[in-house]
């Protein structure tokens, strides 16, 4: 359609578009129903989850009683249950081809299982079992080769065909809580230790590269699937830190919104956003370049969220929590599921552009940012705001009554870093 953009011909364009943007923003909040359903069947808290690399509808979960379940998300049913370990299932990962998966547990074993259910009359047995000397706390598989890494007392790199590790990497003497392979530069690993370190390793040199020490312990980290050098760490001090591994002396971004320790983090396949699970019984979605979350999910029954995954089609989020449930959420709270007519699609795109155009108008901004929070989180946010203000005021007073230059300005990003060791 030819259209004349001369403003004299369209004198009321901006007021009309503003009204449409306001209505679109209100409707977005009306239709924000992110919760899709829960997968129940575990008899203990869900401790870890893994995605199937080839099938979107398959997800694996491990519980605190040593049980592993494989779920079909389209039917929302459990299709297979394995009693894998004595005690907790500490970690699990799938092989890059999707034919098998690995689990580690408190019984000091690493087990490899077939992804297919056993045939009629066959026993539910692991393909391989490796007996270790210490408890393994995490596991991750290489993205292209038959190699996997476990962590516990140290980081061990294993070949699938051998029962002893190819090499063991250690730096310091503390237990390591999680280890992750880089999806792009596949020979790089990152690990988090309980002495507040994040250590990066190179498999080719079989030595640690560098480590960064933070104020508090990091629970886990996740690599950005689109940018090889970027990873995000979930910390005990309620924050998440996005680092560029080349410049570890200050994080690229500090993401603050949780009011309790952050227990897990996972990137969306687009690398633009990540989702975090916290001890404060909520799940939050952060854009990579923003300090505050764009979305917070919670239900009355959900307890401490221990593990979280973003599905490979970038549409859904799965979170496993203390009270034995896995919950399925939409990544975009107000998104319409199902097939869209072309006119619907065009209207949605138009509304999206309007919301972007007017996003900084006070009314629209207030409606778009408003979220209903549980009372406990709401009160803690208020309390922490008061504490932050008090700290700022104290620092200003100290600076005012000290010799000029004796109290340095420390940016929010550098505040939480203790040291970088190379």
């Amino acid at each position: 359609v030819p259209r004349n953009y001369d403003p004299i011909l369209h004198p009321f364009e901006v007021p009309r578009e503003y009204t449409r943007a306001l209505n679109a923003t209100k409707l977005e909040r009306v239709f924000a129903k992110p919760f899709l359903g829960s997968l129940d069947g575990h008899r203990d808290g869900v401790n870890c989850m893994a995605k199937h690399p080839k099938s979107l509808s398959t997800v694996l979960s491990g519980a605190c009683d040593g049980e592993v379940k494989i779920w079909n998300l389209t039917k929302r049913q459990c299709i297979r249950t394995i009693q894998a370990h004595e005690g907790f299932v500490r970690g699990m990962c799938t092989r890059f081809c999707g034919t098998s998966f690995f689990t580690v547990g408190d019984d000091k074993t690493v087990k490899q299982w077939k992804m297919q259910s056993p045939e009629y009359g066959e026993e539910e047995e692991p393909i391989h079992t490796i007996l270790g000397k210490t408890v393994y706390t995490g596991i991750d598989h290489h993205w292209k080769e038959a190699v996997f890494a476990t962590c516990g007392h140290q980081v061990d790199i294993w070949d699938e065909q051998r029962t002893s590790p190819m090499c063991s990497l250690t730096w310091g003497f503390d237990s390591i809580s999680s280890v992750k392979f880089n999806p792009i530069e596949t020979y790089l690993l990152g690990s988090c230790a309980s002495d507040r370190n994040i250590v990066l390793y190179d498999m080719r040199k079989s030595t640690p590269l560098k480590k960064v020490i933070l104020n508090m312990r990091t629970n886990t980290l996740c690599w950005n699937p689109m940018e090889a050098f970027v990873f995000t760490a979930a910390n005990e001090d309620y924050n998440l830190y996005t680092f560029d591994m080349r410049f570890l002396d200050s994080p690229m971004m500090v993401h603050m919104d949780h009011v309790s320790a952050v227990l897990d983090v996972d990137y969306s396949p687009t690398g633009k956003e990540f989702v975090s699970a916290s001890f404060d019984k909520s799940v939050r979605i952060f854009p990579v370049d923003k300090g505050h979350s764009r979305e917070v999910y919670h239900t009355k029954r959900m307890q401490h969220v221990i593990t979280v995954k973003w599905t490979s089609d970038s549409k859904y989020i799965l979170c496993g929590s203390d009270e034995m449930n896995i919950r399925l959420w939409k990544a975009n709270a107000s998104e319409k599921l199902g097939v869209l007519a072309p006119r619907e699609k065009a209207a949605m795109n138009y509304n999206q552009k309007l919301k972007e155009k007017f996003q900084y108008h006070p009314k629209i901004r207030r409606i778009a940012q408003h979220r209903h929070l549980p009372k406990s989180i709401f009160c803690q946010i208020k309390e922490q705001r008061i504490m932050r203000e008090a700290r700022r005021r104290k620092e200003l007073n100290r600076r005012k009554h000290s010799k000029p230059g004796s109290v340095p300005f420390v940016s929010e990003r550098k505040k939480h870093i203790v040291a970088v060791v190379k």
Side-chain angles (χ1 to χ4, degrees):
V1 178
R3 186 169 168 210
N4 192 337
Y5 286 101
D6 184 4
I8 300 158
L9 295 175
H10 308 281
F12 301 118
E13 185 186 30
V14 173
R16 192 185 297 135
E17 285 194 341
Y18 175 74
T19 310
R20 282 179 189 169
L22 191 62
N23 289 342
T25 311
K26 285 177 183 172
L27 282 175
E28 184 191 43
R29 295 315 313 144
V30 168
F31 289 124
K33 304 263 190 300
F35 182 68
L36 292 173
S38 69
L39 313 170
D40 51 342
H42 276 296
R43 290 171 300 188
D44 209 334
V46 182
N47 201 41
C48 53
M49 287 197 295
K51 292 184 285 198
H52 194 293
K54 296 280 161 73
S55 154
L56 278 176
S57 60
T58 310
V59 70
L60 303 93
S61 64
C64 299
D65 57 356
E67 200 174 55
V68 168
K69 280 183 181 287
I70 302 177
W71 304 87
N72 184 335
L73 289 181
T74 41
K75 294 180 186 163
R76 298 193 198 160
Q77 280 176 351
C78 173
I79 49 178
R80 187 167 160 216
T81 305
I82 307 163
Q83 187 58 45
H85 294 277
E86 303 285 325
F88 282 45
V89 181
R90 286 289 171 193
M92 60 197 308
C93 66
T94 49
R95 204 171 181 275
F96 57 91
C97 60
T99 52
S100 62
F101 63 94
F102 295 81
T103 60
V104 292
D106 275 357
D107 50 5
K108 303 183 184 177
T109 57
V110 181
K111 293 182 180 178
Q112 184 182 2
W113 306 83
K114 270 188 190 160
M115 195 65 81
Q116 296 296 327
S117 302
E119 299 294 324
Y120 181 72
E122 265 188 335
E123 288 290 311
E124 185 75 89
E125 291 285 318
I127 309 172
H128 299 301
T129 304
I130 299 168
L131 292 168
K133 296 185 179 69
T134 56
V135 173
Y136 296 112
T137 53
I139 184 167
D140 198 30
H141 202 284
H142 194 283
W143 289 76
K144 292 193 175 88
E145 293 165 25
V147 171
F148 64 94
T150 60
C151 63
H153 188 60
Q154 60 199 15
V155 172
D156 294 325
I157 312 283
W158 305 77
D159 190 313
E160 282 181 18
Q161 308 303 322
R162 294 169 56 181
T163 55
S164 57
M166 293 196 295
C167 69
S168 296
L169 308 162
T170 174
W171 190 351
F173 298 96
D174 224 311
S175 60
I176 295 159
S177 58
S178 88
V179 63
K180 290 280 164 73
F181 273 100
N182 192 321
I184 303 168
E185 302 289 349
T186 49
Y187 43 79
L188 288 177
L189 295 110
S191 76
C192 314
S194 55
D195 54 359
R196 306 175 303 163
N197 292 347
I198 300 171
V199 190
L200 303 175
Y201 308 93
D202 193 334
M203 240 169 61
R204 298 166 301 179
K205 294 202 299 194
S206 64
T207 54
L209 289 174
K210 36 175 133 169
K211 71 173 170 183
V212 55
I213 307 167
L214 287 98
N215 273 332
M216 286 176 86
R217 192 179 78 205
T218 302
N219 287 314
T220 182
L221 60 86
C222 186
W223 293 94
N224 190 324
M226 287 291 163
E227 297 181 57
F229 302 111
V230 178
F231 66 91
T232 295
N235 205 284
E236 286 279 311
D237 65 0
Y238 315 170
N239 297 342
L240 294 115
Y241 300 100
T242 300
F243 284 97
D244 186 324
M245 66 172 277
R246 297 164 294 182
F247 316 108
L248 286 176
D249 45 357
S250 91
M252 289 161 57
M253 206 70 205
V254 180
H255 309 274
M256 320 165 85
D257 257 344
H258 281 295
V259 291
S260 195
V262 190
L263 300 180
D264 198 12
V265 59
D266 191 38
Y267 264 93
S268 92
T270 57
K272 294 267 177 72
E273 294 180 319
F274 59 84
V275 59
S276 64
S278 169
F279 200 74
D280 65 14
K281 308 178 188 175
S282 71
V283 173
R284 283 183 186 268
I285 302 173
F286 290 87
V288 174
D289 51 354
K290 299 272 196 306
H292 293 285
S293 61
R294 77 162 168 85
E295 201 60 81
V296 53
Y297 294 158
H298 53 86
T299 68
K300 269 188 185 167
R301 293 184 180 182
M302 188 155 75
Q303 294 302 310
H304 312 305
V305 192
I306 299 170
T307 173
V308 72
K309 281 275 178 278
W310 200 309
T311 56
S312 306
D313 62 349
S314 189
K315 274 196 185 311
Y316 305 104
I317 285 164
L318 288 151
C319 70
S321 50
D322 252 357
E323 77 325 318
M324 307 178 274
N325 261 352
I326 299 167
R327 286 183 174 77
L328 183 65
W329 309 84
K330 286 194 268 189
N332 213 338
S334 57
E335 185 181 24
K336 187 182 172 191
L337 298 179
V339 182
L340 291 178
R343 285 184 66 173
E344 265 183 308
K345 215 175 271 184
M348 282 170 126
N349 290 340
Y350 176 58
N351 285 344
Q352 190 56 42
K353 283 283 173 261
L354 283 179
K355 281 184 282 193
E356 280 169 27
K357 182 176 174 180
F358 292 98
Q359 63 184 341
Y360 297 113
H361 279 247
K363 264 190 185 173
I364 289 179
R365 192 173 176 190
R366 187 185 64 80
I367 295 167
Q369 287 189 345
H370 178 77
R371 294 291 178 278
H372 184 77
L373 289 171
K375 194 176 176 185
S376 57
I377 296 181
F378 184 76
C379 293
Q380 278 172 290
I381 287 175
K382 213 151 66 173
E383 199 176 305
Q384 281 176 7
R385 193 183 296 129
I386 294 165
M387 284 156 70
R388 245 196 322 270
E389 280 301 312
R391 265 185 240 123
R392 211 181 108 260
R393 206 163 49 243
K394 186 174 179 181
E395 198 178 319
L396 283 172
N397 288 344
R398 193 175 284 159
R399 193 169 285 123
K400 202 187 288 178
H401 298 288
S402 302
K403 200 168 94 180
S406 61
V407 181
F409 288 93
V410 184
S411 72
E412 185 62 50
R413 295 183 186 188
K414 295 209 171 172
K415 243 179 229 170
H416 310 278
I417 308 289
V418 177
V420 179
V421 189
K422 288 178 183 160

